[in-house]
Amino acid sequence: MFAIVDYDTGNTRNLQKAFDYLQVPTQLTADPVQLAAADAVILPGVGAFAAAMQALTERQLVPVLQALGRNGKPMLGICLGMQLLFESSTEYGDHAGLGLLQGHVTDIPTNLGVKVPQMGWNENQFQQPASPFASIDHEYTYFVHSYYAVSPTDQIVASVQHGVTVPSIVQRQNVIGMQFHPEKSGQVGLAQLATFKEMVMANDFSSN
Amino acid sequence: MLAKRLIPCLDVADGRVKKGVNFVNLTDVGDPVAIAAAYQEQGADELVFLDISATNEHRKTMADLVEQVSAQVFMPLTIGGGISSVADMQRLLKAGADKIAINSSAVAQPELIQAGAEKFGNQCIVVAIDAAWDAQSQQYRVYTHGGQQATALDAITWAKQAVALGAGELLVTSMDRDGTKVGFDLALYQQLGAAVSVPIIASGGAGQLTDFVDVFKQSPVDGALAASVFHYGELTIGQVKAVLRAKGVVVR
């Protein structure tokens, strides 16, 4: 059972459908006991960073997620959910994140000849030869975002170019993030979720 | 670098795709899930479903359709047609839509663009514009209600206003070219591209492979939408992408 964190963020339904398609049972929950009992915790998210952190705080989920992440619970943040895993974001102010990944989130520069938000399919460059996410190399995934993670390179599994180098998959041991929408990226996106599932089942996060 | 997008557009009434799609061996040519899956397989980058049914009760079936398609097909879905409130938008987004296209209702109540963008984010709100060249006033004029009603709006001015209100993307159909298969209206998209910075999807006039090359090479659009050339197998998504790639256009 994968727990999808329920904190009233945008559309979690499509993510659930993708896991259904992969025959991974999911449960939408904000209950700390259920989150702790799950094989993995999925942190979705759309919208603004501060509002999402506020919603997590209101549900007293910030220390819960931090403890789970630090104690080895497999965790996957998607889109804004990935950004929340970092230390902080400059979106509308300066806001603390969950701090489970090193680095911070900032706006994609608008003076580099690219449109912001980045909206559409972009080509991934795979960065970590030992990682099981190798199938993403040179494949396109679907992005919708205006902010991106500034991350140490050893955390970056894959990236795309959009004026700047945008990390598309990040990993620090059991904590993984995907900036793109795997549930909207066709077979390539489903394959990345399947890889995460295999990592969880094998309980092997040693690659990064 | 972002890939240029190819977007088939499907007309829907009563939960069924109208006019049918016969480019592959579909046993049921009106089944939205089967058609969407086939387009995903072909390499379409996004799908637009346009509700052409006339009544509100039929629109409820649109949410069911989105629910079913998004359980089997994992690509961005834009839904348009008869959406006139934030509640309509919410119902479709909740069912699995990624973007909502509004056309006549955006002209009738421009504040709907802002309300939708504030609640769901700019990236969710696509303003669809039907435009035709007006020789007398020397401008592109906006039409509503499926092209039936002329407005006093200039398309370029309206596009700028829609973006200022929060439209995250524009889907612009040239009524002069729609159904003609003589190519996209490049002048329209050049003018639009100079006026706004959000993604522009070109629609109307696609007939041949070179039409897609021309619209991407000679105008600043991010995507091209077409219906019949794809539905009837005159061109496949793969064919179009192969030609675009050979001409140096970045495609997925």
Side-chain angles (χ1 to χ4, degrees):
Chain A
M1 173 72 72
F2 284 14
I4 300 178
V5 182
D6 181 10
Y7 66 111
D8 218 15
T9 176
N11 193 0
T12 50
R13 187 81 188 94
N14 284 330
L15 202 50
Q16 261 186 314
K17 288 174 185 172
F19 281 113
D20 287 349
Y21 192 84
L22 294 170
Q23 298 181 311
V24 177
T26 55
Q27 184 176 25
L28 195 60
T29 179
D31 177 358
V33 176
Q34 288 180 332
L35 292 171
D39 296 314
V41 170
I42 312 297
L43 185 60
V46 289
F49 190 98
M53 282 305 292
Q54 180 64 32
L56 289 176
T57 302
E58 280 164 11
R59 288 160 180 76
Q60 291 156 346
L61 286 171
V62 172
V64 172
L65 293 172
Q66 285 172 330
L68 289 171
R70 284 179 191 138
N71 291 328
K73 177 69 70 185
M75 200 172 275
L76 175 62
I78 292 171
C79 196
L80 177 66
M82 158 181 150
Q83 297 185 356
L84 298 175
L85 298 171
F86 283 84
E87 293 165 74
S88 64
S89 169
T90 58
E91 184 175 2
Y92 300 119
D94 205 349
H95 305 282
L98 294 171
L100 294 168
L101 293 171
Q102 290 173 0
H104 66 279
V105 175
T106 192
D107 50 326
I108 300 171
T110 52
N111 59 352
L112 299 174
V114 295
K115 288 182 181 177
V116 178
Q118 164 165 237
M119 186 159 74
W121 298 83
N122 205 337
E123 184 184 6
N124 289 273
Q125 306 298 326
F126 184 57
Q127 311 282 8
Q128 302 285 350
S131 167
F133 290 106
S135 72
I136 202 164
D137 199 22
H138 299 302
E139 296 286 357
Y140 284 79
T141 51
Y142 187 75
F143 293 81
V144 183
H145 66 121
S146 299
Y147 290 76
Y148 76 108
V150 178
S151 165
T153 51
D154 64 357
Q155 254 178 198
I156 301 174
V157 175
S159 61
V160 299
Q161 292 300 318
H162 191 68
V164 291
T165 298
V166 173
S168 54
I169 300 182
V170 288
Q171 182 185 355
R172 191 175 167 210
Q173 292 145 9
N174 55 304
V175 178
I176 293 170
M178 295 179 186
Q179 179 64 69
F180 56 89
H181 285 277
E183 78 282 16
K184 286 288 163 184
S185 298
Q187 293 301 329
V188 173
L190 294 172
Q192 307 317 308
L193 292 179
T195 297
F196 176 73
K197 171 193 166 188
E198 284 155 22
M199 293 165 86
V200 173
M201 294 311 164
N203 194 25
D204 185 358
F205 296 91
S206 60
S207 61
N208 223 31
Chain B
M1 198 175 166
L2 283 180
K4 299 293 186 182
R5 292 177 262 159
L6 291 182
I7 308 170
C9 179
L10 300 150
D11 286 348
V12 174
D14 309 326
R16 306 272 302 163
V17 175
K18 293 297 152 180
K19 290 191 258 179
V21 169
N22 52 12
F23 61 88
V24 287
N25 300 323
L26 295 175
T27 49
D28 178 354
V29 296
D31 175 17
V33 176
I35 292 166
Y39 273 126
Q40 175 172 259
E41 190 65 24
Q42 274 203 3
D45 297 302
E46 194 168 321
L47 288 177
V48 172
F49 285 100
L50 197 60
D51 182 5
I52 57 165
S53 62
T55 62
N56 280 327
E57 58 263 38
H58 287 160
R59 295 217 164 94
K60 289 191 188 120
T61 63
M62 201 64 181
D64 296 339
L65 176 147
V66 174
E67 186 73 50
Q68 288 166 29
V69 170
S70 59
Q72 298 294 323
V73 175
F74 299 94
M75 63 198 287
L77 303 174
T78 301
I79 311 299
I83 296 159
S84 57
S85 70
V86 168
D88 289 347
M89 294 178 181
Q90 186 153 32
R91 187 169 57 191
L92 291 163
L93 291 168
K94 219 173 164 187
D98 299 285
K99 296 188 249 186
I100 299 296
I102 49 176
N103 188 332
S104 305
S105 62
V107 172
Q109 35 169 347
E111 63 278 9
L112 182 61
I113 301 171
Q114 194 168 5
E118 278 174 6
K119 187 154 175 73
F120 308 114
N122 297 31
Q123 80 288 341
C124 270
I125 308 300
V126 179
V127 170
I129 301 174
D130 293 340
W133 179 249
D134 181 51
Q136 202 174 5
S137 63
Q138 290 289 297
Q139 61 183 12
Y140 287 98
R141 189 174 294 279
V142 175
Y143 286 72
T144 60
H145 299 83
Q148 299 298 304
Q149 285 186 23
T151 71
L153 293 169
D154 162 57
I156 308 299
T157 308
W158 170 232
K160 283 198 230 178
Q161 194 190 342
V163 171
L165 287 166
E169 186 164 280
L170 300 175
L171 165 53
V172 183
T173 301
S174 161
M175 291 168 52
D176 300 320
R177 300 297 176 93
D178 203 25
T180 64
K181 301 193 178 181
V182 297
F184 293 96
D185 188 342
L186 301 180
L188 170 61
Y189 301 113
Q190 286 158 357
Q191 285 188 36
L192 280 165
V196 299
S197 59
V198 300
I200 298 166
I201 309 302
S203 160
Q208 307 174 49
L209 291 167
T210 51
D211 295 336
F212 291 91
V213 175
D214 291 345
V215 79
F216 287 123
K217 294 288 252 190
Q218 295 176 41
S219 83
V221 299
D222 300 84
L225 178 140
S228 55
V229 290
F230 293 142
H231 299 338
Y232 299 115
E234 293 161 33
L235 301 175
T236 67
I237 302 279
Q239 268 179 325
V240 177
K241 285 194 171 182
V243 169
L244 289 171
R245 206 172 281 123
K247 297 288 182 185
V249 177
V250 176
V251 288
R252 182 166 69 100

